[in-house]
Amino acid sequence: MTFDPEQLGQPKQELAALLKELRKRAGLTGDRLARRCNMSQSKISRIENGKAQPTLLDLERILRAVVAPPEVIEEVIALARLANTEWQDLRSLRRKGLEKKQTELAALESSSTEFRFFLLSMITGLLSTPEYIRASLAYSPADVTKTIARKLERQEVLYDTTKRFTFILTEQAVRWPLLPPAAMALQIDRLASLTHLENVKLGVIPIAGYKPMAPMDTFTVYDNTLVSVENTTGVVILRDSRDIEMHLELFSTLERYALFGEEVRALLASWSAACRS
């Protein structure tokens, strides 16, 4: 099954309809299927009506109960993966207002406890100075005043000690000259200052050295439940447990490449000094 952003809303309905059809083919009522799967009949009904998203365990129980053939199981699993994927294109986000995306992110940050950020080419808003945020939005044709304000408001979450943050930045993300040298020095200084927060772990992957794995995207893992992957044209939201596990493994590898603590502070200080010189 191919990935088509234009059709990402459809797999949820297709999955629900297919599961309902499989139950009927097996000659089972919703109540009998529920008993076989050790679920409530209301949950089976919500799944078949597309009102509840089944977990992989739910799917395994249902497919076993209806004795689905291997080719059908493969189709169901593929549909489930797409049903747990959401595409947010940048043009639509701009049209709706970028500040609305900031409100969505703030809600996600409020409901999550552990955050893992991998920043490939730019510094995220949570770590940015106002000047950096403004420069990162320079491409937008709309008024970004509210968006800048919301990004700065979101930074307060870093000081919530009930939450844990790990940021891994590449050297390119830190040093890309989005601002004039003096302003970039201030931005790098801000990164160094945030390494002192008790609940924030901030590391940088220097270009020097051997690193046999090359990441392709910027991504964020929220708890163990959701991954946000960014590219030039938009954001992909992944909720499938396999996709989340893959990104957690990738993050763990990247974390081993990074410098932390006094080592990263020394590196950041040298880059800040280079900007000032």
Side-chain angles (χ1 to χ4, degrees):
M1 180 170 293
T2 58
F3 177 85
D4 183 354
E6 297 296 327
Q7 298 177 339
L8 278 183
Q10 298 176 15
K12 293 180 182 179
Q13 288 71 41
E14 292 177 15
L15 177 62
L18 179 55
L19 291 174
K20 187 174 185 177
E21 181 185 346
L22 290 172
R23 172 179 61 76
K24 289 182 175 180
R25 281 187 201 170
L28 297 173
T29 63
D31 187 54
R32 284 184 63 195
L33 178 61
R35 288 199 298 272
R36 284 194 182 186
C37 297
N38 196 25
M39 297 182 193
S40 66
Q41 194 277 329
S42 61
K43 181 174 183 178
I44 292 292
S45 177
R46 291 197 305 275
I47 288 173
E48 290 186 353
N49 290 322
K51 295 179 180 178
Q53 188 63 35
T55 65
L56 285 178
L57 180 59
D58 293 336
L59 289 174
E60 287 174 7
R61 289 175 177 174
I62 292 171
L63 291 170
R64 192 181 304 118
V66 301
V67 196
E71 63 274 13
V72 173
I73 292 175
E74 185 177 342
E75 182 181 357
V76 168
I77 296 301
L79 276 174
R81 196 163 204 162
L82 276 183
N84 279 291
T85 303
E86 176 187 346
W87 168 250
Q88 300 177 347
D89 71 276
L90 187 56
R91 284 176 297 179
S92 296
L93 292 175
R94 288 178 184 170
R95 190 166 57 250
K96 294 175 183 176
L98 292 175
E99 70 276 5
K100 292 182 180 179
K101 178 63 178 178
Q102 296 306 307
T103 300
E104 177 187 314
L105 288 171
L108 190 53
E109 288 156 2
S110 175
S111 62
S112 303
T113 301
E114 185 166 6
F115 307 81
R116 299 173 180 89
F117 289 79
F118 173 67
L119 306 171
L120 179 64
S121 57
M122 286 185 66
I123 299 169
T124 187
L126 289 181
L127 306 177
S128 298
T129 62
E131 292 78 13
Y132 193 97
I133 291 174
R134 193 172 293 108
S136 72
L137 295 170
Y139 61 81
S140 177
D143 181 8
V144 295
T145 305
K146 290 182 180 178
T147 304
I148 294 171
R150 291 295 288 130
K151 279 179 173 278
L152 292 172
E153 287 172 12
R154 283 177 49 222
Q155 293 180 356
E156 294 178 11
V157 75
L158 293 175
Y159 303 94
D160 182 345
T161 55
T162 66
K163 300 179 185 294
R164 299 185 303 279
F165 298 86
T166 304
F167 296 93
I168 300 175
L169 300 88
T170 65
E171 180 173 340
Q172 174 179 310
V174 176
R175 303 188 72 182
W176 186 266
L178 192 67
L179 297 170
M184 279 303 302
L186 291 174
Q187 173 60 76
I188 295 171
D189 290 344
R190 171 167 168 76
L191 295 179
S193 70
L194 291 171
T195 65
H196 294 285
L197 290 180
E198 181 182 339
N199 60 322
V200 173
K201 183 180 180 183
L202 189 151
V204 173
I205 301 175
I207 291 174
Y210 173 61
K211 301 169 184 69
M213 191 280 302
M216 302 298 290
D217 300 293
T218 286
F219 65 88
T220 306
V221 184
Y222 297 87
D223 292 328
N224 293 329
T225 58
L226 182 150
V227 177
S228 170
V229 182
E230 299 178 42
N231 59 40
T232 304
T233 56
V235 180
V236 179
I237 307 297
L238 304 169
R239 295 183 177 84
D240 189 283
S241 60
R242 293 160 296 182
D243 295 321
I244 294 169
E245 183 60 32
M246 186 195 77
H247 282 85
L248 287 172
E249 290 176 4
L250 174 58
F251 192 88
S252 180
T253 299
L254 294 168
E255 196 169 3
R256 291 196 292 271
Y257 295 160
L259 301 178
F260 293 94
E262 289 300 330
E263 285 186 306
V264 78
R265 282 191 282 272
L267 189 62
L268 291 170
S270 69
W271 293 343
S272 176
C275 288
R276 289 188 166 89
S277 66

